[in-house]
Amino acid sequence: MNKNPFLMSAGMMLIAGMSFAQQPFTIQGKIEGSPEGYIYLSYAGGAGVVQDSTMIRDGKFSFAGKLNGVTSANVMMDRYAARNRLKYLNVYLAPGNMQLFINYNDFSQGLLTGSAAQDEINKLNRLRAPILARMKTYGSVR
């Protein structure tokens, strides 16, 4: 069997490249109690940080893009909300179709569905909630 090192190297690079291929995602969102305007999404993309925005119309919005895999993202009503934590929500995006439900007056408690990673974070937060509530009574958590 004749083994060509060039072909083997090219094949390995192709396989490696395929494992890092970006996959599409979509978010269909609903926001209650919100004024019309823009909503922002920031996440790590293939070439660095992606900052996207879309218009809220009749309480609905959508985002679409490409991901290398599961990634942390910030959803904000103000481009700079992550700095001051106002109208800010951290979620974990995954390739595929997701839905995001937000109450404008309780923005940080929004619910993302369709992401297995976010489901795991939600489970962890539910388990932590009674412990954190108890710690607050002792003044150790703000």
Side-chain angles (χ1 to χ4, degrees):
M1 180 175 190
N2 186 3
K3 295 182 180 178
N4 185 330
F6 174 75
L7 287 178
M8 288 179 65
S9 295
M12 294 301 283
M13 289 174 58
L14 180 63
I15 290 170
M18 287 172 49
S19 66
F20 293 109
Q22 291 192 323
Q23 299 173 341
F25 77 90
T26 60
I27 299 172
Q28 296 298 322
K30 292 183 181 180
I31 186 164
E32 293 180 359
S34 169
E36 298 290 316
Y38 283 91
I39 189 165
Y40 301 89
L41 177 69
S42 176
Y43 61 95
V49 176
V50 175
Q51 295 184 357
D52 198 358
S53 64
T54 190
M55 189 76 142
I56 300 169
R57 290 193 176 95
D58 298 323
K60 297 178 183 177
F61 60 91
S62 64
F63 290 102
K66 293 192 176 203
L67 300 171
N68 291 331
V70 174
T71 190
S72 177
N74 299 317
V75 180
M76 305 157 286
M77 285 301 296
D78 180 318
R79 231 175 254 190
Y80 307 105
R83 292 183 191 161
N84 56 23
R85 302 282 182 177
L86 297 175
K87 304 296 182 213
Y88 166 89
L89 172 65
N90 181 259
V91 294
Y92 287 87
L93 304 180
N97 299 318
M98 295 168 281
Q99 297 76 41
L100 180 58
F101 305 96
I102 299 172
N103 181 320
Y104 183 78
N105 297 316
D106 198 11
F107 202 92
S108 65
Q109 299 303 310
L111 177 65
L112 179 74
T113 61
S115 166
Q118 185 64 45
D119 291 345
E120 292 296 317
I121 292 294
N122 292 344
K123 286 178 192 173
L124 176 63
N125 288 339
R126 281 192 298 275
L127 292 171
R128 290 177 36 184
I131 296 164
L132 293 175
R134 197 163 179 203
M135 289 173 69
K136 282 184 183 179
T137 64
Y138 297 109
S140 61
V141 175
R142 293 188 168 95

